[in-house]
Amino acid sequence: MSGFEISRGSIRKLSPIAAILSAAVIFTLGSVGAANADVIFDNTPAPLPTNIPSLGYQAQQTSEFGNEITFAGSSRALTNVEIIMSDWANQSDYPGVGDATGYDQPLTLNFYNPGSGTSVGSLIATRTETVHVPWNTNPGSGTAFPVNFDFTGVTAPDTVIFGVAYNTETYGANPTGVSGPYISLNYGVATVAPSVGTDVNPDDEYWNTSRASNYTDGGTAGVGIFREDTGWTGDVATIQVTAVPEPSAFVLGVVAFGLLVSGRRLR
């Protein structure tokens, strides 16, 4: 059980009403925690092929890339979020780096509120995972693999802008300044419409690139900032988002009242 615990001995000390309410608290929170997660957005390929199209952050002078999406259903208490990456680095090119299976690389996933118009609003939540990236085993191409982020505890609005960020040799929030296998690490893109949820504008993505010519507007609206870009139909950032229902107002009321009565009785 998360958040708090009430022992059986404590329940025995309570009045009958307080005991019933406390039991309801335990049952309710247990039920919420055990609820099956719903997929509320998904454009990841299934089954996952050996490799998929992708955007190279080092090659395209990129610090962050993502999209604006609207979730399906009503579940908004986030749980797991999955993206698809593609690694093109061969172990033979980086002797002494990592191990026989791959190398470690921190990846960050950000969720933002949409701002006015097509702008990026305030940050909702961010998670950074140190991922063990598998070496490429697909000669002449790359190797696709999933990356999962735990967003438990975050409640999302219906529409969000997300972005994936990581450091390479010369790009990212904190470029490494040295060459490494991460210069061949790419973010996978989907070539079909989402199977769950809605891509707010299938022709738009959100991109932070330092190369003005990468933007459709030639950098007119700014370079090196995370902003809307057009001309992306058929190549959109992969993501699968799962969530559970939020506790209803009635449930929260029962929990709060039960804790209040229990606390007074125990004092």
Side-chain angles (χ1 to χ4, degrees):
M1 183 186 306
S2 61
F4 70 95
E5 292 185 2
I6 300 177
S7 68
R8 293 181 180 177
S10 297
I11 291 178
R12 283 197 295 268
K13 297 177 183 178
L14 306 181
S15 68
I17 294 177
I20 292 171
L21 288 171
S22 298
V25 168
I26 296 171
F27 175 79
T28 299
L29 293 184
S31 298
V32 170
N36 292 326
D38 301 313
V39 176
I40 58 175
F41 188 91
D42 191 11
N43 67 355
T44 59
L48 183 64
T50 303
N51 197 29
I52 63 174
S54 58
L55 176 74
Y57 277 38
Q58 177 68 26
Q60 299 300 326
Q61 302 183 6
T62 298
S63 295
E64 189 170 7
F65 184 70
N67 196 13
E68 183 177 13
I69 58 176
T70 296
F71 297 131
S74 59
S75 296
R76 296 292 181 267
L78 303 186
T79 52
N80 185 71
V81 180
E82 180 181 282
I83 63 173
I84 305 298
M85 302 294 291
S86 173
D87 186 38
W88 291 63
N90 300 313
Q91 185 184 17
S92 58
D93 294 330
Y94 298 96
V97 176
D99 57 27
T101 62
Y103 61 95
D104 291 340
Q105 172 69 23
L107 302 177
T108 297
L109 175 57
N110 300 311
F111 280 112
Y112 305 92
N113 286 299
S116 60
T118 60
S119 66
V120 179
S122 59
L123 181 69
I124 298 170
T126 182
R127 296 287 188 270
T128 298
E129 297 286 349
T130 298
V131 178
H132 193 64
V133 179
W135 295 113
N136 179 31
T137 57
N138 188 18
S141 185
T143 298
F145 63 98
V147 174
N148 291 279
F149 299 83
D150 183 0
F151 273 86
T152 302
V154 175
T155 299
D158 292 341
T159 298
V160 299
I161 295 171
F162 70 89
V164 171
Y166 56 94
N167 298 317
T168 62
E169 181 178 358
T170 46
Y171 304 101
N174 296 289
T176 66
V178 296
S179 182
Y182 37 75
I183 68 173
S184 299
L185 180 61
N186 299 357
Y187 182 14
V189 297
T191 58
V192 297
S195 58
V196 181
T198 304
D199 186 340
V200 172
N201 189 332
D203 191 55
D204 291 2
E205 292 293 279
Y206 281 76
W207 200 7
N208 178 343
T209 173
S210 298
R211 181 185 296 161
S213 60
N214 278 348
Y215 291 112
T216 299
D217 65 6
T220 301
V223 174
I225 59 174
F226 190 53
R227 66 175 179 88
E228 182 203 34
D229 187 38
T230 60
W232 285 92
T233 299
D235 291 297
V236 296
T238 55
I239 192 167
Q240 181 193 84
V241 183
T242 57
V244 295
E246 299 174 67
S248 67
F250 173 77
V251 166
L252 294 176
V254 169
V255 171
F257 185 68
L259 288 175
L260 176 63
V261 173
S262 300
R264 288 178 174 176
R265 180 64 177 173
L266 287 175
R267 285 198 299 270

